[in-house]
Amino acid sequence: MIYLTRRAEFSASHYYHSPALSPEENRRLYGKCNNPHGHGHNYVLEVTVRGEIDPRSGMVVDLKQLKEVMAREVLNVLDHRFLNEEVPVFSHVIPTTENLAVEIWRMLVSKLLFCRLHRIRLYETPDLFVDYYGPEEAERTPVLPTEQKTAQPAKR
Amino acid sequence: MRKDLVHLTRRYWFSASHRLHNPVLPDGENQQIYGKCNNPGGHGHNYFVEVTVAGPVDSRTGMVVNLAELDAFAQTQILDRFDETSLNELPNFESSVPTTENLCVEIYRIFQAGWSQLPSARQARLERVRLEETSSNFFEYRGESPAPHL
């Protein structure tokens, strides 16, 4: 098994507002990200696929094909867009980087028939990124909250 | 409905000095093991620390963890504690050598011990602490019984 990662960039704007919360709660939770005029980022997207190396071509995936699918399915949809207003899914999903990574997975997974999608990594800034490994990961590794009982500073 | 599991990683940095020296070993052996890192005056690094939180995306907020909470915790518990310090002088390293391995584990333990101060991460877990000592060296710690590495 080998993993290949292709990187791409897009620029988009968004703001955070949850209809489940009051205006005051929205302001408190999201701070300046709640400004309805939005703000933008240069997002860096890394798409990782996995598979076996084709003995004839020496490749795990045709990179040109991967690049084309990423451009058509993701970049053309998201680049230079106001996510809340111009990308339909974000009319009812808050366009946090967490949700954006999950949506990018969904945009790609059914179109990447020639390889197996492994991970979406999305940088909002160089200091903040999220990873999504698809819906199967939650079944493989159920989230158990960090245990409090071992939370004493260790004596060494 | 099954909730999506997302890993969020936040990156911070601090500067600190250390000297690698184990007092239970003879001086010659310390020099042999640690080389120039055993220099009595110590030396410093800009450490970059990455903290990864794994959990479901809260459908009300769209978040795995509230970044303001995570940043505030990192500021008071990690950066204020370690930035511009000599690690050897800190209580954290009274009985261990402040190698980047031990510092990485220590930062993991501080986050784990204070997890209850991150109410927005109640459904999430501390997945990983990754600590860069230089651009060529980094260490990762996932706890004593980590989830399977993807």
Side-chain angles (χ1 to χ4, degrees):
Chain A
M1 185 77 77
I2 197 152
Y3 299 78
L4 177 145
T5 300
R6 174 86 193 174
R7 185 178 289 161
E9 289 188 33
F10 62 92
S11 303
S13 62
H14 66 176
Y15 73 101
Y16 295 164
H17 183 89
S18 174
L21 304 172
S22 71
E24 176 50 36
E25 282 175 313
N26 268 292
R27 276 194 294 277
R28 198 171 52 233
L29 177 64
Y30 297 124
K32 55 190 179 179
C33 300
N34 187 227
N35 172 2
H37 298 293
H39 63 279
H41 298 285
N42 296 324
Y43 290 95
V44 177
L45 168 65
E46 289 181 3
V47 175
T48 301
V49 301
R50 66 170 192 253
E52 300 300 335
I53 300 175
D54 181 328
R56 282 187 322 148
S57 66
M59 304 194 300
V60 65
V61 61
D62 181 343
L63 203 50
K64 185 164 158 287
Q65 223 178 341
L66 176 61
K67 190 177 158 187
E68 280 167 7
V69 172
M70 285 168 62
R72 190 178 65 235
E73 302 297 332
V74 180
L75 306 181
N76 286 356
V77 178
L78 301 176
D79 191 30
H80 285 75
R81 299 290 180 193
F82 187 11
L83 300 176
N84 302 65
E85 299 193 358
E86 293 184 275
V87 180
V89 67
F90 296 117
S91 64
H92 57 276
V93 172
I94 305 161
T96 55
T97 306
E98 292 92 323
N99 280 333
L100 192 49
V102 173
E103 290 306 324
I104 291 173
W105 174 285
R106 290 177 181 155
M107 289 166 164
L108 285 173
V109 71
S110 62
K111 309 292 177 185
L112 291 176
L113 302 174
F114 48 91
C115 59
R116 181 81 187 266
L117 185 56
H118 175 69
R119 184 187 74 181
I120 297 297
R121 172 170 286 187
L122 184 64
Y123 287 87
E124 180 182 288
T125 68
D127 294 335
L128 177 66
F129 63 88
V130 304
D131 291 325
Y132 182 57
Y133 294 87
E136 287 165 19
E137 194 211 346
E139 286 152 27
R140 213 164 45 234
T141 60
V143 173
L144 299 173
T146 297
E147 288 183 25
Q148 301 301 318
K149 65 178 196 286
T150 56
Q152 298 305 316
K155 294 266 183 263
R156 286 185 283 164
Chain B
M1 202 182 95
R2 181 196 44 72
K3 286 194 166 177
D4 285 309
L5 180 62
V6 169
H7 299 227
L8 177 142
T9 300
R10 185 67 154 163
R11 188 171 162 93
Y12 307 96
W13 72 279
F14 60 90
S15 305
S17 67
H18 65 175
R19 180 198 182 202
L20 303 187
H21 182 87
N22 188 341
V24 307
L25 301 174
D27 285 349
E29 204 172 334
N30 268 298
Q31 277 154 23
Q32 194 183 6
I33 294 171
Y34 296 121
K36 60 186 178 183
C37 299
N38 186 236
N39 169 14
H43 62 280
H45 297 286
N46 296 328
Y47 292 94
F48 286 84
V49 57
E50 288 185 0
V51 179
T52 301
V53 180
V57 181
D58 183 324
S59 57
R60 278 190 334 146
T61 64
M63 297 172 168
V64 167
V65 56
N66 184 332
L67 267 188
E69 269 177 25
L70 188 65
D71 286 354
F73 184 87
Q75 183 65 49
T76 56
Q77 299 300 315
I78 305 296
L79 307 182
D80 291 351
R81 185 189 308 247
F82 294 123
D83 189 34
E84 307 287 328
T85 64
S86 167
L87 298 175
N88 302 63
E89 308 305 315
L90 299 179
N92 308 71
F93 297 104
E94 258 172 15
S95 53
S96 64
V97 183
T99 57
T100 306
E101 290 91 323
N102 280 335
L103 181 56
C104 187
V105 172
E106 193 62 22
I107 291 172
Y108 183 98
R109 286 181 173 148
I110 291 168
F111 267 96
Q112 194 183 44
W115 204 250
S116 60
Q117 295 171 46
L118 302 171
S120 66
R122 223 174 34 240
Q123 298 297 314
R125 64 171 182 246
L126 177 61
E127 176 74 11
R128 178 189 73 151
V129 169
R130 178 179 188 271
L131 186 60
E132 293 178 20
E133 180 182 81
T134 68
S135 57
S136 310
N137 283 355
F138 62 85
F139 302 87
E140 295 189 351
Y141 186 61
R142 293 167 182 268
E144 285 170 14
S145 49
H149 192 2
L150 291 158

